[in-house]
Amino acid sequence: QQQVKQSPQSLIVQKGGISIINCAYENTAFDYFPWYQQFPGKGPALLIAIRPDVSEKKEGRFTISFNKSAKQFSLHIMDSQPGDSATYFCAASISGNQFYFGTGTSLTVIP
Amino acid sequence: DTAVSQTPKYLVTQMGNDKSIKCEQNLGHDTMYWYKQDSKKFLKIMFSYNNKELIINETVPNRFSPKSPDKAHLNLHINSLELGDSAVYFCASSLIPDTNYGYTFGSGTRLTVV
């Protein structure tokens, strides 16, 4: 079964807007939650990651919000740019061992 | 350049053939992986090796056989290729334990079986 559920499947956002992608998990043993960004023809690249001892992590325009009690985490992209258009994957792992990926969100930022 | 490199980038072959994909990392990582990404972009782990030892072997047909000659290399050999094997195959590596626990992915091999 899908260990990490991701939504929406696709997202269209106006330039300058906020992109929000959500993920949910069941296994409370997960202790590391990264987000990966994948451009066409490239491999996924680590974008930002969070551990469950903090509720938010921000790096530039990218923010992860983490709700441990709800077992949910989300990626917020502020001031979205056309260059952010890519597929985004959330993931979860236990101590860096096997990563379970979400099903991906295709983000399109229109000028 | 420090990276995970895989070859070839594209592979077109006929059904029934045997093919190999090679992966090398120069990051000093001790764990390497093979992932399959289907047409819907879903990433599914196939195998994981830690210091040349198989640690994850998901349910994949036994036509797929990984080989790790050393901890910097993980190759994937596929026998008797089928149409359903068409996908993008990604190699990745990581260092366990590591403060980042992140994967570094290669750029993928697009396999097309005709």
Side-chain angles (χ1 to χ4, degrees):
Chain A
Q1 75 281 17
Q2 192 67 26
Q3 296 266 2
V4 179
K5 294 182 179 169
Q6 182 173 348
S7 63
Q9 188 175 352
S10 62
L11 183 60
I12 300 174
V13 171
Q14 205 88 31
K15 179 182 173 183
I18 303 173
S19 304
I20 302 175
I21 305 170
N22 301 300
C23 285
Y25 64 96
E26 285 299 322
N27 189 344
T28 55
F30 287 142
D31 61 1
Y32 179 70
F33 302 88
W35 283 90
Y36 284 82
Q37 180 188 54
Q38 184 181 23
F39 292 107
K42 302 289 186 184
L46 181 64
L47 185 64
I48 187 173
I50 198 168
R51 298 187 194 286
D53 52 347
V54 296
S55 60
E56 186 175 283
K57 183 171 181 181
K58 186 175 181 180
E59 288 183 4
R61 295 184 294 108
F62 300 90
T63 299
I64 300 178
S65 296
F66 188 83
N67 186 330
K68 190 173 180 178
S69 60
K71 293 186 281 188
Q72 294 174 348
F73 58 110
S74 58
L75 176 70
H76 296 236
I77 306 174
M78 312 300 284
D79 187 27
S80 299
Q81 299 297 312
D84 296 331
S85 297
T87 300
Y88 292 81
F89 293 92
C90 62
S93 81
I94 304 170
S95 301
N97 289 309
Q98 183 176 350
F99 280 66
Y100 297 90
F101 284 87
T103 48
T105 296
S106 177
L107 171 65
T108 303
V109 181
I110 51 178
Chain B
D1 285 348
T2 54
V4 178
S5 55
Q6 47 182 117
T7 55
K9 189 166 175 65
Y10 300 98
L11 187 51
V12 181
T13 187
Q14 289 190 318
M15 279 176 57
N17 283 351
D18 302 340
K19 290 293 178 186
S20 291
I21 307 172
K22 295 186 176 182
C23 180
E24 175 182 5
Q25 56 92 7
N26 62 3
L27 299 164
H29 289 171
D30 60 359
T31 307
M32 296 184 72
Y33 313 81
W34 278 110
Y35 274 83
K36 179 180 179 180
Q37 187 172 48
D38 61 23
S39 58
K40 294 185 179 177
K41 302 245 173 171
F42 181 59
L43 279 163
K44 180 175 167 50
I45 191 165
M46 301 174 70
F47 303 102
S48 170
Y49 271 75
N50 177 263
N51 283 320
K52 302 196 298 176
E53 274 194 49
L54 181 66
I55 56 172
I56 295 173
N57 183 3
E58 291 293 310
T59 307
V60 299
N62 57 15
R63 299 180 294 104
F64 290 80
S65 53
K67 275 202 173 58
S68 182
D70 55 60
K71 70 176 188 178
H73 295 84
L74 180 62
N75 304 321
L76 183 65
H77 189 76
I78 316 170
N79 289 326
S80 304
L81 277 154
E82 300 177 357
L83 293 176
D85 298 331
S86 295
V88 181
Y89 292 84
F90 286 101
C91 177
S93 71
S94 68
L95 187 63
I96 298 173
D98 179 272
T99 53
N100 283 326
Y101 291 165
Y103 279 5
T104 302
F105 280 88
S107 56
T109 296
R110 181 173 293 277
L111 171 66
T112 304
V113 182
V114 297

